Amino acid sequence: MSTSESAPTMSDLHEEGKNAINTPMLPSGTEIHPEDTMLEENAERNMLDPTSRENPKFKDLQRVLIDWINNELEEDRIIVKGLEEDCYDGQVLQKLFEKLSGRKLNVAEVTQSEIGQKQKLQTVLEAVNELLRPHGWSIEWSVDSIHAKNLVAIVYLLVALAMHYLAPIRLPEHVSVQVVVVKKREGILQTSHVTKELTSTTEMMMGRFERDAFDTLLDHAPDKLNVVKKSLVTFVNKHLNKLNLEVTELESQFADGVYLVLLMGLLENYFVPLYNFFLTPENFEQKVHNVAFAFELMQDGGLKKPKARPEDVVNLNLKSTLRVLYNLFTNYKNSE
């Protein structure tokens, strides 16, 4: 078999030289795709920086979203393995939106062609945007970006849906990624890095922007936080000890709602019938039921509705748990 190769022509060398000039300062590990050199003048393309793709928090965020989708679509026998490959054609996004919203979208069930897929995406995203835009969500996705398997756009969309529908999941906080932006200016490709914040804090994402003294304490005085935690442990044990119960870990021991329910009964001096809650909850739903029931008891006792969601407490969200206990502490600290 002949191994001889034809020598490069002048036009080959010219093209190679032009590409070398037109792709300056690309981050290491970033590939220039053929479509980059074909960009229209003043057009741009975004791609995830390779180092961000390996970011453990970003991977964790994807895993949480995948598990959530699979749980929601279990009855449809849909199994998502990767967000890019399984969400780009609109099928999964359609089913997910229909399940969350209770609305049936007028789209073809199966679409193999690119045109059909984009039409389905258009319908789905119009419905999503119509839902989210009035609530202040920035629309960081488009038909083209989703169909091009832009992972950042897909994650933005899923996070927004999860937050809007109060998904019973715990999204990792403060997840940011680096995006490489390739632009064509006067025939020359220019690249830059942009940081994209995919999640902030749970409270900010839930739209609870009102700040109070407790937020300030958590953000600016972590040394005082331990003092508060010790005070809360002393407070809850003063009452739970009457039932021979003791708390050492605020983060985890209130997550199933049992101690919260029992504590409310002790603080208000009544016995909570065991049929009202699950004494040994076996799953997420039963734990959420317990915490929600404890919240009802708090409101019956004249307290304001807690800012936290029951799901936040069950998901071991420290801020949410401390908020609930701190509220009890300020109202019942003089109770015997």
Side-chain angles (χ1 to χ4, degrees), residues 22-27 30-32 36 45 47 179-185 188-194:
N22 286 354
T23 56
M25 297 181 294
L26 273 174
T30 302
E31 298 176 12
I32 276 290
D36 292 335
R45 196 175 79 85
M47 52 190 162
V179 170
V180 181
V181 181
V182 181
K183 298 180 181 178
K184 188 174 250 188
R185 295 288 183 271
I188 296 176
L189 292 181
Q190 301 172 349
T191 63
S192 59
H193 271 91
V194 178

Side-chain angles (χ1 to χ4, degrees), residues 108-140:
E109 276 305 309
V110 179
T111 48
Q112 299 294 341
S113 71
E114 180 178 334
I115 293 174
Q117 291 170 352
K118 286 189 171 182
Q119 284 174 341
K120 172 176 281 195
L121 273 173
Q122 181 76 31
T123 303
V124 174
L125 295 187
E126 279 177 2
V128 169
N129 296 350
E130 187 181 310
L131 174 82
L132 296 177
R133 195 175 272 118
H135 296 276
W137 285 99
S138 173
I139 307 301
E140 300 278 353

Side-chain angles (χ1 to χ4, degrees), residues 8 46 101 118 151 196 273:
N46 298 343
S101 67
K118 286 189 171 182
L151 183 56
K196 295 283 190 180

